[in-house]
Amino acid sequence: MNDGNKVIVKVPNPNAGRPHFTTASEVATMDFVRNVLKIPAPKVFAWSSRREENPVNAEYIVMEKVPGIELEKLWGDITGRQKYEIVKQLIGIEKSFATTRFTSFGSLYYAEDVPKVSNNKILCVSKDGTEMQCSRFAIGPTNNRMFFDEGRGTVHMDRGPLAKHLLPKEESFRASIMWHSDLHANNIFVNPEKPTEITGIIDWQSVHLSPFFLQARHPALIEFNGPIPEGLGRIELPENFDEMSADKQKEAKMLRSAQSLYKLYEVELRQRNENIFRALQYRETLTCKITALAGSLFSDGEPIVNGMLMAVEREWLNIVEPGPDGRPSVPCPLVFSAQERTLQSVHEAQWIRGVELMEAVLDQLGAYRGWDGWVNHASYESMKARLESCLEHFLDRETKNDTQRTEWIKAWPFAEQPSQTRVRRYTQPPRDLYP
């Protein structure tokens, strides 16, 4: 800008969400968290959620450039104590989310952007029990993509007799709250001169209001690849650490550091907001897992959900209250035959094998695993070449004959299908894709 200030202009990708609602909600949400919850979100200078009403012919948001730099640029160089101080601030932000209870589910908007929704009612209740009735904001339709991706928005279904028995019995877990589900190091900005000072949180698109037990989660900042240690004891290096190579020793130290920070987060969380801690524990229960997975059936797989439904039948007495005779007070609406259980077991094993193959390809590719596998323009050509190489290695490794090679090429999940010339001649007899 002429005065030396910098701004960010955001134009949403067409696949970002529903027109108007995605942009309108993001702007209102940033306003609410910045000025009501006092969380450092970007300040918006100008915006439009209706492309037909502006000369740009596109939705846009003009917002301040958050001061500081991405935490990602410093994370590998700061001390464990500094990391812990940042994590404690994130717990404070999460506490603000968890203790602000909204009166309905959906997404937050300015009242004028959802005129069909009444804004003359209580919007939310703060941590001290104060009811907030704000004419500026209103709760409107959800912008959570889980409700619309893969055609879900057009599906009409009967949720059946099982759903009400799977919801948590604790009322607070069913409360409507806001949550930032993507608190990773690139969405957190800090003061480079004082890395423990968070200067801003970005990426509020698709932040919505839904049940506490589905919202609460560990911040992405502390997640890591490796086992989660049990208990609260000191995390030690492997017993054979001294015999490891220098690279393996470095990996072991990095894993211990990540595990320690993860545990410190849980200890601090339990001390400052036990309700979030208990909600995270509830997420590990069968009923919560199946409730969460049911919304992503198309991507997470029918075999896995079916396996959980079979577990519900086995655990039904623990899910509903027992009657006077010790049996379930409500008959389980699910009944699976031995044949169905056997078939599910086969399908689940195949599904798991498929996921393992996919993970191996993604690891080799080194691509970002966010929504739709987006690749920036500068990396597109090199990533495309790498993808071709990954496919060739995959076919050489996983196929034994012409039939398998042809079927895997057909199944390759990208728009530009590989050439059929990749089919080679084998003398071995055909076999199934899954041994």
Side-chain angles (χ1 to χ4, degrees):
M1 307 292 287
N2 292 334
D3 59 2
N5 290 320
K6 296 181 179 180
V7 299
I8 299 294
V9 179
K10 180 177 181 179
V11 178
N13 191 296
N15 69 357
R18 294 190 300 168
H20 168 63
F21 292 102
T22 301
T23 297
S25 179
E26 181 177 4
V27 172
T29 298
M30 287 193 290
D31 186 350
F32 184 86
V33 300
R34 178 186 176 91
N35 295 302
V36 178
L37 300 185
K38 306 304 180 183
I39 296 172
K43 181 179 180 181
V44 174
F45 299 121
W47 64 285
S48 174
S49 62
R50 301 186 187 277
R51 57 179 299 177
E52 68 277 4
E53 295 179 0
N54 67 66
V56 181
N57 195 32
E59 298 182 30
Y60 65 84
I61 303 174
V62 181
M63 67 184 90
E64 70 170 334
K65 184 181 183 298
V66 173
I69 63 174
E70 297 96 325
L71 178 57
E72 174 67 25
K73 295 179 179 179
L74 300 175
W75 189 250
D77 299 321
I78 61 178
T79 67
R81 184 173 294 276
Q82 288 175 313
K83 292 178 180 180
Y84 181 41
E85 290 300 318
I86 293 170
V87 166
K88 288 196 292 186
Q89 292 178 67
L90 293 186
I91 290 175
I93 291 173
E94 292 174 342
K95 185 173 182 178
S96 295
F97 290 143
T99 54
T100 304
R101 309 297 174 87
F102 292 85
T103 52
S104 58
F105 304 118
S107 288
L108 203 60
Y109 299 87
Y110 290 128
E112 61 267 24
D113 290 315
V114 281
K116 295 182 180 180
V117 177
S118 172
N119 65 321
N120 296 319
K121 63 180 182 179
I122 305 301
L123 180 72
C124 62
V125 179
S126 64
K127 59 184 176 182
D128 60 1
T130 302
E131 295 181 343
M132 177 185 295
Q133 184 171 356
C134 182
S135 59
R136 292 182 60 222
F137 299 102
I139 300 174
T142 184
N143 61 13
N144 183 359
R145 288 182 53 172
M146 294 294 290
F147 285 87
F148 306 104
D149 281 3
E150 308 292 343
R152 294 185 185 93
T154 61
V155 175
H156 300 279
M157 66 182 72
D158 179 0
R159 290 173 174 80
L162 185 64
K164 62 182 179 181
H165 298 294
L166 298 179
L167 295 177
K169 296 179 175 61
E170 185 168 336
E171 184 177 357
S172 65
F173 288 175
R174 302 195 300 268
S176 174
I177 68 165
M178 178 184 292
W179 199 273
H180 194 306
S181 62
D182 206 15
L183 289 175
H184 58 69
N186 281 315
N187 282 340
I188 302 169
F189 280 66
V190 296
N191 181 348
E193 304 300 323
K194 186 181 178 183
T196 57
E197 178 187 341
I198 295 179
T199 58
I201 305 290
I202 66 169
D203 195 9
W204 295 90
Q205 181 177 284
S206 298
V207 170
H208 55 280
L209 314 175
S210 64
F212 191 170
F213 77 99
L214 293 178
Q215 292 271 53
R217 66 200 64 203
H218 293 84
L221 180 67
I222 66 169
E223 291 180 343
F224 62 95
N225 292 323
I228 306 287
E230 297 181 359
L232 301 178
R234 177 182 174 86
I235 299 172
E236 304 290 348
L237 290 168
E239 293 182 0
N240 64 335
F241 179 78
D242 291 336
E243 287 76 44
M244 289 180 171
S245 65
D247 288 342
K248 290 297 182 181
Q249 287 184 343
K250 182 178 179 181
E251 290 179 7
K253 288 181 177 180
M254 291 177 63
L255 176 59
R256 183 181 65 170
S257 176
Q259 290 174 326
S260 299
L261 188 63
Y262 191 95
K263 280 302 175 183
L264 285 171
Y265 166 85
E266 292 197 328
V267 171
E268 183 76 16
L269 181 67
R270 189 169 191 174
Q271 293 176 346
R272 294 175 57 185
N273 197 322
E274 188 174 0
N275 213 28
I276 300 178
F277 180 81
R278 291 191 299 106
L280 292 177
Q281 290 183 312
Y282 179 76
R283 286 181 67 91
E284 298 303 314
T285 64
L286 173 63
T287 53
C288 186
K289 286 181 178 180
I290 195 170
T291 303
L293 275 179
S296 56
L297 181 63
F298 298 157
S299 56
D300 287 322
E302 183 180 343
I304 303 299
V305 175
N306 274 342
M308 289 188 175
L309 289 174
M310 292 175 182
V312 165
E313 183 190 12
R314 291 194 301 269
E315 298 293 326
W316 187 248
L317 183 59
N318 298 323
I319 294 173
V320 299
E321 296 292 332
D325 58 356
R327 296 181 178 182
S329 56
V330 178
C332 182
L334 300 174
V335 178
F336 295 95
S337 67
Q339 182 180 5
E340 289 172 324
R341 291 182 181 278
T342 300
L343 186 61
Q344 184 278 331
S345 180
V346 172
H347 288 168
E348 182 169 334
Q350 292 177 338
W351 173 263
I352 292 173
R353 173 58 177 156
V355 170
E356 291 172 347
L357 292 174
M358 179 184 69
E359 289 295 317
V361 170
L362 290 176
D363 286 341
Q364 184 181 359
L365 188 61
Y368 171 61
R369 302 192 184 197
W371 286 107
D372 302 328
W374 184 86
V375 176
N376 64 52
H377 295 294
S379 304
Y380 177 76
E381 291 300 331
S382 62
M383 188 62 69
K384 187 175 179 180
R386 195 184 305 173
L387 181 63
E388 290 286 306
S389 176
C390 284
L391 172 58
E392 199 62 42
H393 282 95
F394 177 85
L395 293 174
D396 290 342
R397 183 177 67 248
E398 299 296 334
T399 65
K400 304 297 183 183
N401 52 65
D402 292 351
T403 301
Q404 287 186 6
R405 197 174 183 90
T406 300
E407 292 302 314
W408 275 119
I409 289 173
K410 290 179 180 178
W412 194 246
F414 298 96
E416 295 182 2
Q417 291 294 333
S419 170
Q420 291 293 326
T421 59
R422 281 200 175 84
V423 178
R424 296 177 179 173
R425 292 296 171 190
Y426 292 88
T427 58
Q428 299 176 359
R431 296 172 55 191
D432 293 335
L433 289 179
Y434 292 103

